Amino acid sequence: MGNLRTLSLALSVAVVGVALTSCDNGSQAAAKAAADQVSKAISALDVSQAPLSGTDPSAAQTRLKAIVEGLGDVKPTVSAGQANTSNGTTTVPFDFRWQLSGRDWHYTTTARLAQNGDKWTVEWSPELLAPGLQPGEVLVAQTKAPARADILGAGDAKLITERPVLRVGIDKTKVVAKDQDASARALATLVGLDPADYAKQVASAGSQAFVEAIVLRDVPGRTPTDEQVTAISGAVLLPDTLPLAPTRTFARAVLGTVGQATAEQIQKSKGELEAGDETGTGGLEEQYDDELRGQAGVTVYAVASPDAGGPSGSPSASSTASANPTPSAKPSASPSAAPKRQLFTAAPAAGNPLRTTLDPRLQQIADDALAKIGPASAIVAIRPSDGSVLAAASGPGSNGYNTAMLGQYAPGSIFKTIDSLALFRTGAMPDLPVECTPSLTVDGKTFQNATGYPTAHLGTIPLRDAYAHSCNTAFISQRDKVTQEQLQSTATSLGIGLNPGLLGAPGFLGSVPADATSTEHAASMIGQGKILFSPLAAAVMAASVEKGGVVSPRLVLSVGEKDQPSATGSPAATASASASGSPSASASASASQPALAVAKPVTAAEAGTLRDLMRGVVTSGHAGFLLSVPGAPVGAKTGTAEFGSDNPPKTHAWIIGVQGDLAVAVFVDEGGLGATISGPILTDFLTKAAQ
């Protein structure tokens, strides 16, 4: 009987417990709903309509803005956990995540809730926003820029690294106000700036400001000199360092540059970049910016302030720049002399160096060889044995565009290398008799040989002579022996039209359509029509001949200890513009074609025959000027490609050359004949490379 009473009592307690729990669960659900509203409001940094108690929501909003202003233009992600009631107090954990310069600040605070009837509110407190935050304190983030990593070349030579510079400008504390305008105009004139514009900048800057005019490399013989600058009242030179290449033009289109982030770059960075940060622009510096830049260091402080609106002189949202700014950068975050507590810190993480195959000496030779070429131009040098891109120079006429790796141009007669291989695969031999006539008409279109073609080599001549002297009509006469599809397939045998998977950078390896009309097919036999090459593609073709196998070019070897990245340079994605930035219709069409697979790689025997043809261009053709190049024998093929509607038409000038374990392509847009325009450039490059 006692046991029955005990069991009955236990069941009664259990029932009551269930009822209490049910009631509590309903209450906690309402509390959780209120907490969710507040957490979402804090995530939006707008609590003006949130269910708060202990203060008016509008006052809480004012205080919230003041507290987080020093973290910059970022918002937290806040989520509310489960409500818990203990000793009559209901609390909910708030999980906070901030992304500050790419660093994750994660913490949990505790929200206390109050109930009035069936309405729940979250009690407002600074500790709701950050652990231990006290009334009158605000949050401030201070960032420190990491050391940007170098871009390295062959043998880990430093291509882009920190080099000494001088920041030249007017220090307004060193010149009386009435003379500042005259000083600004004098300095602007000295360094080549618009005097009126720079004078306005100086006038609008603060009374203690240094107003930067220009940054100079601190090298011997520079202009303007120290004496010229300091002769101007208030003009100063401040020493600094910047990530720079050896010279201003050194592989610029390939490597890119480093400078202060623009407003557009900051916006696109999703909080990783701030005003005053350095970032890459163009080339490898931009493509691998995340790896090279590393991660900024961030420290968050709770700073005491004399009033709820923030202390006078306390950092604002704009005070999150580098802790070591350049004179032209805005001041860094400084928690001032007010009491402060460190809430979070993440040390800066240096970037990872980018290793490339560029040979500093050959690259400089290539840059120098193009320095005085007016039109767009390029030199690409490849080591056939392993595909390393040793030089990729785009001349000043390219206006910063990467003509060397991305340009799209008709290759002209250098394409006869592919024609010849296609003919050999049908059974032809180098001594095949072909007819070289002054002109040849195909379906109403008349084709001629290049201006100045030697009459002594007209008539019935062997294919090797047609190649050596570049007889257009002889190759067009063979058009019925190879289809357009065979030309495309043969091109892949020498690396043309493939995906540059090992390059590690955007690159266009050429395009040969598989279909063509009768006249287009005839034009294809002389590298015109819709066929397009880049100088990189031309160098790959020459390198594949020299190697006796398909060469896959490579430029980027690794980032720090990481493996080489996957390909980023399919023609559709990266080769959509010509050097002028306005691709022709045919260029746009070819760029959208998918990269091809190699149907039949060139064999060692086939390559040997092609090398003999290329050597014949030098020994008996119109590239005899290359006989003077020291070192191993040189093989070559010139190319002149007509384009446009002018009469006479404009031409692209090409030449490819091989010498030992070196393959080179030279290109000049609107350059005239390949032999007379690009030929001397190749001679100069190979001669200096051999020294």
Side-chain angles (χ1 to χ4, degrees):
M1 191 68 177
N3 287 340
L4 289 176
R5 281 198 299 270
T6 301
L7 178 60
S8 177
L9 179 60
L11 289 173
S12 298
V13 171
V15 170
V16 172
V18 168
L20 290 173
T21 301
S22 175
C23 178
D24 187 56
N25 283 344
S27 180
Q28 287 186 346
K32 175 65 164 62
D36 284 341
Q37 291 183 56
V38 174
S39 66
K40 290 178 181 178
I42 296 175
S43 295
L45 295 184
D46 183 1
V47 296
S48 59
Q49 305 298 318
L52 297 172
S53 57
T55 186
D56 180 80
S58 62
Q61 175 64 20
T62 299
R63 187 64 188 131
L64 171 63
K65 281 194 170 185
I67 289 172
V68 303
E69 185 180 14
L71 298 182
D73 188 19
V74 293
K75 294 179 180 179
T77 299
V78 187
S79 59
Q82 294 301 313
N84 177 61
T85 301
S86 177
N87 297 324
T89 301
T90 300
T91 60
V92 173
F94 273 16
D95 184 83
F96 277 76
R97 284 190 180 275
W98 297 84
Q99 285 294 318
L100 303 174
S101 296
R103 310 310 289 268
D104 185 39
W105 182 26
H106 180 211
Y107 58 86
T108 301
T109 64
T110 300
R112 293 168 59 92
L113 286 87
Q115 183 180 22
N116 185 3
D118 59 355
K119 181 180 180 182
W120 284 87
T121 57
V122 173
E123 296 180 3
W124 171 259
S125 168
E127 288 187 280
L128 182 64
L129 303 178
L133 193 67
Q134 300 300 308
E137 287 185 328
V138 296
L139 300 175
V140 171
Q142 183 180 23
T143 62
K144 184 176 182 181
R148 189 175 183 89
D150 296 337
I151 294 183
L152 307 174
D156 280 354
K158 293 183 178 181
L159 303 183
I160 294 187
T161 189
E162 291 287 336
R163 302 182 193 273
V165 297
L166 293 168
R167 296 184 178 274
V168 181
I170 296 294
D171 183 344
K172 295 182 70 170
T173 67
K174 297 183 181 299
V175 56
V176 296
K178 67 181 183 63
D179 295 333
Q180 289 173 0
D181 183 79
S183 291
R185 291 174 182 273
L187 181 59
T189 301
L190 178 65
V191 301
L193 298 180
D194 183 281
D197 285 348
Y198 183 61
K200 285 182 181 178
Q201 293 178 40
V202 172
S204 62
S207 60
Q208 306 292 310
F210 166 82
V211 186
E212 185 177 287
I214 195 171
V215 179
L216 301 174
R217 289 173 179 264
D218 192 6
V219 295
R222 61 174 165 76
T223 56
T225 64
D226 288 6
E227 292 75 17
Q228 289 174 312
V229 173
T230 56
I232 299 170
S233 179
V236 297
L237 305 95
L238 302 179
D240 199 359
T241 62
L242 284 177
L244 296 172
T247 68
R248 185 178 181 278
T249 58
F250 184 92
R252 189 180 182 93
V254 174
L255 298 178
T257 59
V258 181
Q260 288 195 9
T262 65
E264 182 180 3
Q265 289 171 323
I266 292 170
Q267 184 178 13
K268 289 181 178 179
S269 75
K270 298 180 179 179
E272 291 190 11
L273 290 175
E274 298 170 348
D277 284 351
E278 288 183 345
T279 189
T281 299
L284 299 180
E285 285 286 0
E286 181 173 347
Q287 182 181 351
Y288 293 94
D289 185 61
D290 286 347
E291 293 87 349
L292 291 164
R293 177 163 39 88
Q295 284 190 296
V298 181
T299 301
V300 179
Y301 297 98
V303 180
S305 62
D307 57 77
S312 59
S314 69
S316 67
S318 64
S319 60
T320 56
S322 166
N324 297 297
T326 63
S328 60
K330 66 183 182 179
S332 66
S334 172
S336 77
K340 63 183 181 181
R341 292 180 297 107
Q342 181 177 299
L343 301 183
F344 168 75
T345 188
N352 293 305
L354 184 73
R355 291 179 169 82
T356 75
T357 60
L358 291 180
D359 183 295
R361 189 176 75 89
L362 293 183
Q363 179 66 45
Q364 191 62 63
I365 292 172
D367 286 330
D368 292 344
L370 300 177
K372 296 183 179 179
I373 304 300
S377 59
I379 295 176
V380 176
I382 291 177
R383 184 162 56 224
S385 60
D386 63 6
S388 295
V389 177
L390 304 177
S394 298
S398 297
N399 296 318
Y401 184 72
N402 191 353
T403 301
M405 294 168 59
L406 296 175
Q408 294 182 31
Y409 303 92
S413 291
I414 64 172
F415 192 79
K416 290 170 184 172
T417 307
I418 291 171
D419 293 342
S420 298
L421 178 56
L423 288 169
F424 295 155
R425 288 178 172 179
T426 68
M429 300 296 288
D431 290 328
L432 173 73
V434 293
E435 293 300 317
C436 180
T437 56
S439 64
L440 181 64
T441 301
V442 179
D443 289 347
K445 180 175 177 59
T446 299
F447 296 90
Q448 296 177 325
N449 294 317
T451 302
Y453 184 86
T455 57
H457 293 277
L458 291 172
T460 303
I461 61 175
L463 181 65
R464 67 171 71 252
D465 283 359
Y467 185 90
H469 295 280
S470 206
C471 179
N472 289 339
T473 58
F475 277 89
I476 294 173
S477 73
Q478 303 299 302
R479 66 191 182 280
D480 292 337
K481 295 182 179 179
V482 291
T483 66
Q484 186 72 23
E485 186 175 7
Q486 285 175 314
L487 287 181
Q488 183 192 68
S489 176
T490 304
T492 67
S493 301
L494 293 174
I496 301 303
L498 306 181
N499 190 305
L502 298 179
L503 193 63
F508 175 62
L509 291 190
S511 174
V512 179
D515 297 310
T517 65
S518 177
T519 54
E520 285 175 350
H521 181 54
S524 293
M525 297 296 291
I526 57 174
Q528 298 193 163
K530 294 183 178 180
I531 295 175
L532 294 171
F533 272 32
S534 67
L536 173 66
V540 164
M541 180 177 71
S544 296
V545 170
E546 181 61 31
K547 179 182 178 180
V550 177
V551 169
S552 296
R554 59 177 191 160
L555 172 66
V556 175
L557 297 178
S558 64
V559 185
E561 299 303 318
K562 300 177 183 179
D563 292 333
Q564 178 183 314
S566 59
T568 57
S570 66
T574 62
S576 60
S578 66
S580 64
S582 301
S584 65
S586 60
S588 298
S590 71
S592 65
Q593 293 179 349
L596 304 173
V598 182
K600 182 182 178 183
V602 64
T603 66
E606 291 171 335
T609 304
L610 293 174
R611 286 196 297 273
D612 288 343
L613 291 185
M614 292 181 68
R615 180 59 179 166
V617 176
V618 178
T619 58
S620 62
H622 50 214
F625 45 81
L626 289 169
L627 287 169
S628 64
V629 174
V634 179
K637 182 67 190 85
T638 58
T640 303
E642 296 180 352
F643 70 97
S645 57
D646 291 357
N647 189 16
K650 296 178 181 179
T651 58
H652 304 311
W654 293 87
I655 190 168
I656 56 174
V658 292
Q659 184 184 31
D661 199 13
L662 184 64
V664 185
V666 178
F667 166 80
V668 178
D669 188 18
E670 299 186 24
L673 299 178
T676 58
I677 300 300
S678 294
I681 298 174
L682 177 62
T683 303
D684 178 59
F685 178 85
L686 290 177
T687 300
K688 291 178 178 176
Q691 293 173 354

